[in-house]
Amino acid sequence: MINAIASYQFMQNALWGAVLASILTGIIGAIIVEKKWLMLSSGIAHSSFGGIGLGYMLGFEPIYGAFLFTTVAAMLVPTIDRKSDTGSENLTAMLWSFGMALGILFIAFTPGYPPDMNSYLFGNILTISKANLNVMILVTTLVLGVLLSFYNIWKAYLFDGEFTFIMGIKTLWMDYVLYFLIAISIVALIKLVGIILIMALLTIPPSISRFYARSFSRLILSSMGLGLLFSLMGLVVSYYYSIPSGASIILISVLAYGLALVAKKIIARR
Amino acid sequence: MKIIEVSHVSVSYGRVKALEDVSFTIEKGAFLSIIGPNGGGKTTLIKVLLGLIKPREGSLKIHSDKPVGYVPQFNSFERRFPITVCRVVLMGSLSGKNPLFHRYGQADKDRAHELMALLGIEALHDRQISQLSGGQMQKVLIARALMTDPDVLILDEPTSSIDAESRTEIYGILNKLKGEKTIILISHDLGSVSSYIDAIACLNVSLEFHEDGKITESSVNHIYGCPVDLIAHGVPHRVFPEHPLGGHSHD
Ligand SMILES: Nc1ncnc2c1ncn2[C@@H]1O[C@H](COP(=O)(O)OP(=O)(O)O)[C@@H](O)[C@H]1O
Ligand SMILES: [Mg+2]
């Protein structure tokens, strides 16, 4: 495998993809888990299907369509939620299914053979391209830049948004910025683990890290580390056993969570 | 001098009326207690004061150039968030004017320590907030609210679901702050606060204000409907005729 990494571009891409993905999932995952925005994130992820379909139908890069759809979904949910009493969960569920329905519709209208959607639904780290990597670098830089430049305020906001508002900080903007960052991060990760499996990669590392992390920054750093570990292990398994990488990464993550849970119980009992 | 002026404020959530034509003013340095049944709109009124909810009708003014110090009700923040006591208290010094890559300065840290000492929670400095008792958590929230040295301090049921000892301690702290700060306290245990307060308001959608801090059994009955023991956590209902609550006069 070391030889493969040295000699094959796709293996190098996969490696870089794993590194970037773990930075992104570490940050975004920690936020999603602390804010309990699982439904919202999952809905945003699935709505990207519509954009991917649109890309295929009109003949442009499907990932750009995914950016469009997830961003619109991420902006619509809080906006409509403020103006109606439907509830954000219900709105999310609606956009989730609506995005997927549009995707199916667009693909049905796509001329010629239907495209293979599997790589978007389940992801494959071994097929990510230079262009995918560039997108990931861009998104990771943006997420890191936005979060680090106002880190204390973001932390206060995540802990207690009302109090942060009272301190004179424009938290309405923070909502939208955060939803936007979640949306673009999810799209940047789609090629790696896919729409369906993405939630596991976002939630499992922080769920394990919460067992021991004593500060939000350590929660993020630990989630990054675990994300990287799981991605690399998944990559190895995927390479040697020809298993789709999305599946191998998630299976390893869940297994690790189970072990961590048992370890925690044993430590607690002592 | 009036520090808070609320006039004709109404708020509804969809069809539910939470506040109806609420008006009152508070003198600078006064200690006001608001009582009322669950769902009576107490938290809503506070959120209006804090600017978290825009009233459908009416207006309000707070004459202070500092943010209001706010001690939220227990369920309003992430209790399991990985953060230490000291960091929570420090959050009280944040503002919209913080520069990029802001870090807490030594002055902020000194002030945080001073307040933790005042509240008797210095020893909890590095403790995770998920490991605090209810009373300890309340003191952390009070310290956080005091970080900016606010003119107005608002506490939403700070003593519900905490032990009697912490309750007494918290009332002691509020009594120390009395006069220096304008305090609004939402509380069910009238019995404990009645000797400190200057004014009392009963809120059940509409508000009945008792400027002199005196409250009669009949007005409590009026606000609560008949069962007075709704508020009688620790205040047996029969004490009303014998010791009128808030019955001290300040002349
Ligand atoms: N976010 C909300 N959405 C809808 N109704 C609400 C909301 N918050 C409070 N209410 C309703 O408004 C009324 C007043 O609530 P609240 O101000 O929390 O009362 P209190 O703090 O006195 O218990 C209640 O009937 C409650 O159900
Ligand atoms: Mg309340």
Side-chain angles (χ1 to χ4, degrees):
Chain A
M1 181 157 167
I2 303 291
N3 284 338
I5 292 170
S7 48
Y8 293 118
Q9 183 69 46
F10 80 90
M11 280 306 281
Q12 288 164 21
N13 286 353
L15 219 54
W16 279 115
V19 170
L20 290 166
S22 54
I23 297 175
L24 268 185
T25 52
I27 299 171
I28 300 296
I31 292 173
I32 290 174
V33 166
E34 285 306 327
K35 287 304 254 185
K36 305 191 184 77
W37 282 347
L38 302 164
M39 179 80 182
L40 180 80
S41 314
S42 199
I44 289 174
H46 283 80
S47 71
S48 70
F49 196 78
I52 291 163
L54 187 69
Y56 274 120
M57 187 176 80
L58 301 179
F60 63 86
E61 169 58 46
I63 283 294
Y64 296 152
F67 273 119
L68 178 74
F69 267 61
T70 52
T71 304
V72 170
M75 300 295 114
L76 273 181
V77 171
T79 308
I80 302 177
D81 187 36
R82 255 177 260 279
K83 301 197 156 71
S84 77
D85 57 359
T86 307
S88 67
E89 302 254 300
N90 295 330
L91 289 168
T92 304
M94 231 183 282
L95 283 173
W96 174 326
S97 308
F98 183 61
M100 297 211 74
L102 281 180
I104 292 165
L105 189 77
F106 292 150
I107 285 163
F109 284 142
T110 302
Y113 282 113
D116 175 26
M117 296 300 288
N118 271 353
S119 72
Y120 292 99
L121 288 176
F122 302 104
N124 191 345
I125 197 169
L126 295 174
T127 62
I128 54 177
S129 63
K130 258 272 152 54
N132 294 146
L133 280 183
N134 287 337
V135 168
M136 290 183 80
I137 290 172
L138 202 71
V139 171
T140 309
T141 313
L142 192 66
V143 169
L144 276 175
V146 171
L147 286 185
L148 288 181
S149 50
F150 295 105
Y151 185 69
N152 280 335
I153 289 181
W154 281 114
K155 202 168 65 178
Y157 166 79
L158 291 170
F159 171 61
D160 187 346
E162 283 187 346
F163 188 84
T164 315
F165 172 86
I166 294 160
M167 301 303 292
I169 291 157
K170 307 258 181 303
T171 50
L172 179 63
W173 275 97
M174 298 180 77
D175 266 341
Y176 282 104
V177 171
L178 217 46
Y179 288 178
F180 174 70
L181 293 181
I182 291 173
I184 61 173
S185 302
I186 285 173
V187 177
L189 291 164
I190 282 179
K191 277 283 185 172
L192 213 85
V193 275
I195 294 169
I196 294 176
L197 304 179
I198 209 162
M199 290 317 293
L201 197 59
L202 285 170
T203 54
I204 295 171
S207 300
I208 297 174
S209 304
R210 300 192 73 194
F211 289 156
Y212 50 79
R214 292 175 55 83
S215 75
F216 191 60
S217 47
R218 281 187 222 170
L219 180 71
I220 290 177
L221 289 174
S222 160
S223 303
M224 286 178 179
L226 290 176
L228 184 63
L229 184 69
F230 300 155
S231 304
L232 292 180
M233 288 168 74
L235 184 59
V236 172
V237 171
S238 167
Y239 180 80
Y240 283 111
Y241 299 95
S242 312
I243 296 170
S245 64
S248 61
I249 294 171
I250 303 308
L251 291 177
I252 287 170
S253 306
V254 174
L255 198 67
Y257 176 81
L259 290 175
L261 192 64
V262 172
K264 189 193 174 212
K265 290 273 177 264
I266 291 171
I267 291 168
R269 203 174 299 165
R270 269 203 281 151
Chain B
M1 202 183 85
K2 307 278 183 219
I3 190 159
I4 296 178
E5 297 176 77
V6 176
S7 62
H8 307 291
V9 163
S10 298
V11 173
S12 24
Y13 298 102
R15 277 193 212 133
V16 180
K17 258 190 205 150
L19 297 175
E20 168 102 76
D21 195 24
V22 168
S23 300
F24 62 94
T25 59
I26 304 175
E27 289 290 329
K28 193 165 167 39
F31 192 146
L32 168 73
S33 182
I34 301 177
I35 59 167
N38 279 329
K42 302 181 297 298
T43 299
T44 304
L45 177 59
I46 279 181
K47 288 190 174 173
V48 170
L49 288 175
L50 294 167
L52 290 164
I53 296 177
K54 292 263 168 295
R56 179 166 51 84
E57 281 166 44
S59 63
L60 67 133
K61 276 205 198 78
I62 298 183
H63 303 284
S64 166
D65 47 10
K66 289 186 235 171
V68 171
Y70 174 46
V71 180
Q73 210 166 351
F74 236 64
N75 51 14
S76 76
F77 55 89
E78 305 290 333
R79 193 67 207 273
R80 302 182 319 163
F81 199 85
I83 192 168
T84 58
V85 164
C86 179
R87 291 277 140 181
V88 173
V89 176
L90 276 171
M91 271 177 193
S93 69
L94 289 172
S95 87
K97 297 186 194 77
N98 289 145
L100 289 182
F101 305 105
H102 163 264
R103 321 211 77 197
Y104 296 108
Q106 195 55 46
D108 295 330
K109 287 178 183 162
D110 291 344
R111 169 122 188 105
H113 276 275
E114 217 175 277
L115 287 169
M116 285 189 279
L118 176 76
L119 286 147
I121 49 171
E122 285 158 299
L124 304 175
H125 186 266
D126 285 321
R127 187 79 66 85
Q128 288 287 300
I129 59 153
S130 54
Q131 296 167 351
L132 298 182
S133 74
Q136 291 169 331
M137 188 70 218
Q138 271 320 329
K139 288 177 201 163
V140 172
L141 295 178
I142 294 174
R144 179 181 72 164
L146 292 174
M147 272 300 277
T148 51
D149 195 18
D151 296 323
V152 180
L153 182 63
I154 300 184
L155 305 98
D156 195 350
E157 300 196 29
T159 57
S160 56
S161 74
I162 68 175
D163 57 283
E165 195 183 329
S166 314
R167 197 175 299 184
T168 317
E169 282 167 14
I170 286 174
Y171 287 135
I173 291 157
L174 292 182
N175 203 25
K176 265 193 241 168
L177 297 169
K178 188 184 158 173
E180 184 193 327
K181 309 210 175 300
T182 308
I183 302 175
I184 300 179
L185 171 71
I186 292 185
S187 176
H188 285 298
D189 28 85
L190 255 187
S192 324
V193 296
S194 56
S195 54
Y196 317 137
I197 55 178
D198 303 313
I200 191 161
C202 304
L203 183 62
N204 191 3
V205 185
S206 61
L207 180 121
E208 198 172 313
F209 199 84
H210 303 268
E211 194 92 53
D212 54 359
K214 286 194 180 108
I215 184 166
T216 59
E217 189 175 6
S218 80
S219 73
V220 170
N221 283 341
H222 171 72
I223 285 291
Y224 283 91
C226 31
V228 174
D229 46 301
L230 252 178
I231 56 152
H233 295 288
V235 188
H237 151 199
R238 60 185 150 70
V239 304
F240 276 102
E242 294 156 31
H243 313 279
L245 290 165
H248 79 307
S249 57
H250 34 135
D251 38 26

